[in-house]
Amino acid sequence: MVDYLVVGLGLAGITFCEVLEENRKTFKVISDDSQQASQVAGGLYNPVILKRFTMAWKAKQQLLDAKPFYQNLEKKLGVIIDNELPVLRKFASIEEQNLWFEASDRPDLDYFLSTKLHPNKNPAIDAPHCFGEVKYTGRIDTAALVRSYSSYLKNRDLLLEESLDFDAISITNETVSYKNETAKNLVFACGFGLKQDPYFGYLPLNGTKGELLVIHAPEYRENNVIKSSVFTIPMENDRYLVGATYKWKDKTNLPTEESKNELLEKLTTFLKCDFEVVDHVAGIRPTVVDRRPLVGRHPEHKNLYVLNGFGSRGVMIGPYASKQLFDYIEKESELDPEMDIQRFTKKYYSK
Ligand SMILES: Cc1cc2nc3c(=O)[nH]c(=O)nc-3n(C[C@H](O)[C@H](O)[C@H](O)COP(=O)(O)OP(=O)(O)OC[C@H]3O[C@@H](n4cnc5c(N)ncnc54)[C@H](O)[C@@H]3O)c2cc1C
């Protein structure tokens, strides 16, 4: 008997397991590779929405929680996953520069938006209107995190690598059993896999496909994240991530020629040096109709929970939402109502 069964080992599953370990709860994880979002993500943590120069939802609080969280994980797993990198937003015009300076006066944004205009010093970039810098940003290497967290669990015999067989779940008032495992609670952290879940499939998760390229560009020599019509994110050995696309119809994890062309077209509007595409990946972001996470208890089964809907900001939302869910289950704290799935209870009874 363990305290928890957790289904899914992306950012949601990992951040929840970490909260369980911190609180000395026992658990087992069941996960397959059917969803890829956490393995392909750009991994940026950036509290500012760079299209409109506004703060993302509760982003300052989330960032304050996330930084020590990932630093502790680095120590525990013995890997470097947090790369602090300034984000430089390329301005398309003088008007945009003015909007940036207006925004940098607003509460919270004043903390993150530098008021210094950065002239372009990189001959490989076309940016006549300079850049604005977002401070305290960076990248979590989410692929490395998933890899090392899986090994960490496997070495302790805490990971069942298989697709959940929903028919093998049996629920009583006090326990949830799955094959040979019995737990007090079960948490579904399945990303877009929620669509197959007979318990939480009623929740309005729509899913947004995203694709990224990896390019090799030795002449680019850029140490910052550059945000223009696409992001470029520096990696090791002259490689850069380029992304990402947003598509609402295709729900497969397969890279497409169409998205590759779209990314290349946008990239070459500002990148003026030679490069070669060396990789191309795709995944489905678990996005929700109202752009808020899906967290909470099943309307009928009190020992079934969901942790999902991290959208395009899983790195920052993960630690925040996981702690909220844990405190809700174990300490009877109130959930942030904006992410509590109670907002969709009517959908459950009308299904
Ligand atoms: C191209 C792209 C770029 C992105 N860039 C960023 C970024 O820069 N910053 C950021 O913060 N976020 C980014 N995101 C979003 C981020 O990836 C997601 O918010 C986050 O990874 C979601 O994590 P998750 O654990 O909920 O889902 P997932 O990562 O999809 O994990 C779900 C897990 O559950 C498993 N699973 C599902 N169903 C079952 C089942 N039936 N049985 C067993 N296991 C199951 C899956 O295989 C998977 O292991 C990006 C996403 C994409 C696609």
Side-chain angles (χ1 to χ4, degrees):
M1 171 96 164
V2 288
D3 295 313
Y4 286 82
L5 287 174
V6 177
V7 186
L9 199 64
L11 284 168
I14 292 173
T15 52
F16 192 71
C17 290
E18 269 310 285
V19 178
L20 292 178
E21 288 231 307
E22 263 169 39
N23 289 279
R24 299 180 188 286
K25 297 289 177 190
T26 53
F27 63 90
K28 281 219 168 164
V29 178
I30 301 143
S31 191
D32 62 12
D33 269 336
S34 57
Q35 293 301 323
Q36 300 281 320
S38 303
Q39 297 181 39
V40 306
L44 281 184
Y45 53 89
N46 159 33
V48 182
I49 298 172
L50 289 171
K51 216 173 187 177
R52 301 190 292 270
F53 308 151
T54 51
M55 286 296 287
W57 177 68
K58 303 209 168 155
K60 191 171 179 186
Q61 177 60 47
Q62 289 166 7
L63 190 60
L64 289 173
D65 289 355
K67 282 299 284 185
F69 188 91
Y70 291 109
Q71 280 159 3
N72 286 342
L73 259 175
E74 284 187 325
K75 276 189 220 138
K76 169 171 166 170
L77 301 172
V79 287
I80 305 286
I81 49 170
D82 184 5
N83 302 294
E84 295 181 350
L85 296 165
V87 173
L88 297 186
R89 164 65 153 83
K90 180 183 168 244
F91 294 129
S93 60
I94 303 289
E95 289 74 44
E96 260 201 352
Q97 286 180 2
N98 292 336
L99 290 174
W100 176 276
F101 287 116
E102 271 170 37
S104 66
D105 251 353
R106 287 188 220 127
D108 284 352
L109 283 165
D110 58 355
Y111 184 75
F112 292 106
L113 299 188
S114 161
T115 49
K116 217 174 97 205
L117 205 57
H118 284 255
N120 178 28
K121 293 184 189 139
N122 188 337
I125 305 179
D126 180 22
H129 298 293
C130 306
F131 299 96
E133 179 187 343
V134 191
K135 297 183 285 184
Y136 315 118
T137 49
R139 170 174 186 251
I140 298 297
D141 185 342
T142 54
L145 172 60
V146 173
R147 265 195 317 273
S148 46
Y149 210 84
S150 312
S151 311
Y152 171 80
L153 294 184
K154 266 191 255 176
N155 291 340
R156 283 159 187 76
D157 203 18
L158 299 180
L159 178 62
L160 307 179
E161 290 178 283
E162 62 182 53
S163 297
L164 186 78
D165 173 3
F166 288 96
D167 294 335
I169 295 178
S170 64
I171 306 167
T172 70
N173 263 344
E174 302 306 323
T175 60
V176 187
S177 298
Y178 177 71
K179 298 186 178 170
N180 299 325
E181 312 292 342
T182 301
K184 290 180 193 153
N185 298 299
L186 189 153
V187 175
F188 290 99
C190 302
F192 191 64
L194 183 94
K195 286 301 199 201
Q196 271 71 53
D197 182 338
Y199 299 99
F200 289 103
Y202 71 93
L203 292 168
L205 188 80
N206 39 23
T208 309
K209 181 168 180 175
E211 298 190 36
L212 283 163
L213 302 177
V214 181
I215 60 165
H216 180 240
E219 291 162 31
Y220 191 14
R221 296 193 191 94
E222 182 55 61
N223 296 322
N224 301 299
V225 174
I226 301 294
K227 165 67 177 141
S228 180
S229 40
V230 283
F231 277 102
T232 65
I233 308 173
M235 300 163 80
E236 66 292 346
N237 304 327
D238 299 324
R239 291 183 311 138
Y240 299 82
L241 275 172
V242 179
T245 54
Y246 290 79
K247 304 278 175 198
W248 289 269
K249 282 194 183 143
D250 177 5
K251 306 294 189 195
T252 69
N253 290 320
L254 300 174
T256 63
E257 215 41 38
E258 183 199 344
S259 288
K260 180 178 175 182
N261 291 337
E262 180 185 323
L263 291 170
L264 289 176
E265 207 173 288
K266 289 182 174 169
L267 177 67
T268 48
T269 59
F270 65 96
L271 184 68
K272 298 299 165 196
C273 65
D274 288 341
F275 63 85
E276 184 194 355
V277 177
V278 292
D279 203 2
H280 180 186
V281 289
I284 310 293
R285 302 172 185 88
T287 47
V288 184
V289 175
D290 64 1
R291 293 163 180 253
R292 294 291 175 264
L294 296 169
V295 183
R297 181 181 282 133
H298 189 269
E300 286 186 73
H301 302 291
K302 69 182 173 71
N303 39 18
L304 296 189
Y305 296 87
V306 67
L307 181 62
N308 209 312
F310 292 1
S312 54
R313 293 189 172 261
V315 168
M316 283 179 25
I317 293 177
Y320 172 77
S322 291
K323 183 167 184 314
Q324 283 251 338
L325 179 61
F326 181 82
D327 289 349
Y328 172 69
I329 302 172
E330 297 288 342
K331 302 178 187 166
E332 293 179 22
S333 306
E334 289 219 347
L335 267 181
D336 180 338
E338 282 190 84
M339 60 183 185
D340 190 337
I341 55 164
Q342 275 197 28
R343 67 195 192 278
F344 297 119
T345 300
K346 266 194 193 153
K347 280 192 186 295
Y348 178 75
Y349 289 107
S350 62
K351 74 184 157 69

